[in-house]
Structure formats: structure tokens, C-alpha cells
Amino acid sequence: MHPHLAPVDLAKAYRLLNHGPTVLVSTRHAGVDNVMAAAWCCALDFAPPKLTVVLDEATRTRELLEGSGRFVIQVPTVAQLRLTEQVGNHSLKDDPDKLAKAGVELFDLPDHDLPFVQGCSAWLACELIAEPHNQAAYDLFIGQVVGAWADDRVFSDGRWHFETADPAWRSLHHVAGGHFYAIGEALKAE
């Protein structure tokens, strides 16, 4: 088990995505695991917690998600920049060794038949809320969060602590053309 994996209260699960990070989407179906990067993911609702993610119809991850009805949204770190770029630019359809080549290590959690990506700062296990029109017309998928965890070295007490954590734990933010930013300094309105 991951020594720093701490459960996050589902009422606060939205906070794992509120800062707009690039995410990793993983799913498992019929014995096949896959992981892809996605830049368009956001919190949608508080109770029950829900999120949205855009998955192009050409991706193998979407095919697996539609087959299983379950997926994980993960928040990758600066230390995972290369991994994130590689799983975002290579398809399992074209390269069956995609995950190994990118250095993806997966782990399982009890009661969730899903592949979780090692080294991320947060994980949200989701069940698909089927919305066939949105999925077909907009590539938009809605998930109900059924479990949430974060690495306690960077998220605790219901909030991120990027300002005190090692900079390698900062989240990635894709802005286009293979360019990313890391989350910046903490500011507080007085």
C-alpha cells in the first residue's frame, strides 16, 4: 500500500481538481489497462461529487471507459512531466507497450477494480453517469466520484499545500503545443 495515501472526504473531493490541473485518466476493461492525459477536466457538483472530462472518440481510453463504466482521474506531478506528455501523445491502439515505455506504474486499491497511477498527488475513482448525447456530440463524460485519495505530503486538512511541499509535487497545467506550467505560489486575498 502507498504509505502516504490518505482518504479525502467526498464532500471535499472537488478541491482536488479546483485548481485546473492536467489529469491522467485511467481505466480497465476486459483485462486491458490504459492511461491517457487530459487537459479538460473539472469538478461539476458537490453532493454527490461529480466531475467532467473530455475524451476524444479516437482514444482507446474512451473505448475502455465506455465498456467498463468506471475510471480514475489522477493529478500528475511535475516529477511526472515526461510520463504525462508520453501517455498524452501515444495511443494504446498504435503501441501496445505505451504504458511501459512511458514508465507508468499501476497499483490497485481494495473495492475498486481500477488501475491507479503510482506517483500522482491525487486520485478520484469514478463511475460513469451515462449521458449518450453529451458523449457523442461533445466527447463530454460525467463521473460520480465514489472514492478520493491524496498524497498527504501535498494535500491534507482539505487543501493543497504546494507552497510547503517539494516543488516536484506541484501539479501540471497544459497550455497547448506540448507546453506545461507548474502551479505557482500561494496567494491569499486580505
Side-chain angles (χ1 to χ4, degrees), residues 3-190:
H4 294 281
L5 186 75
V8 173
D9 180 8
L10 289 181
K12 292 184 172 126
Y14 73 94
R15 294 180 181 182
L16 298 173
L17 297 175
N18 233 20
H19 65 298
T22 296
V23 299
L24 299 178
V25 183
S26 62
T27 191
R28 172 180 292 150
H29 181 63
V32 177
D33 292 341
N34 198 23
V35 179
M36 68 173 278
W40 296 349
C41 179
C42 70
L44 176 65
D45 203 352
F46 298 106
K50 296 179 195 79
L51 57 81
T52 62
V53 64
V54 174
L55 302 172
D56 188 272
E57 66 185 347
T59 67
R60 185 71 196 273
T61 301
R62 177 173 171 162
E63 177 186 322
L64 297 171
L65 187 158
E66 289 176 326
S68 71
R70 295 184 313 272
F71 60 102
V72 182
I73 296 294
Q74 284 111 157
V75 178
T77 67
V78 166
Q80 294 174 303
L81 175 60
R82 182 179 172 277
L83 177 154
T84 302
E85 188 275 332
Q86 288 203 340
V87 299
N89 287 308
H90 298 278
S91 174
L92 193 65
K93 287 181 178 181
D94 302 325
D95 186 356
D97 295 325
K98 165 190 164 175
L99 299 183
K101 288 178 181 176
V104 174
E105 294 179 40
L106 300 173
F107 68 97
D108 292 317
L109 286 174
D111 303 320
H112 297 279
D113 183 23
L114 289 162
F116 292 80
V117 178
Q118 190 71 261
C120 292
S121 59
W123 303 263
L124 298 105
C126 301
E127 292 181 359
L128 178 64
I129 297 173
E131 290 286 345
H133 172 73
N134 288 340
Q135 291 164 206
Y138 308 112
D139 299 327
L140 182 70
F141 289 76
I142 300 173
Q144 180 172 327
V145 180
V146 296
W149 304 265
D151 191 298
D152 63 11
R153 291 172 286 188
V154 70
F155 186 95
S156 61
D157 301 321
R159 67 178 286 279
W160 290 105
H161 300 280
F162 293 116
E163 68 277 10
T164 57
D166 184 309
W169 283 102
R170 291 183 178 191
S171 59
L172 297 170
H173 302 261
H174 185 257
V175 293
H179 295 280
F180 293 82
Y181 284 93
I183 195 158
E185 66 181 282
L187 304 172
K188 186 172 182 177
E190 298 292 330

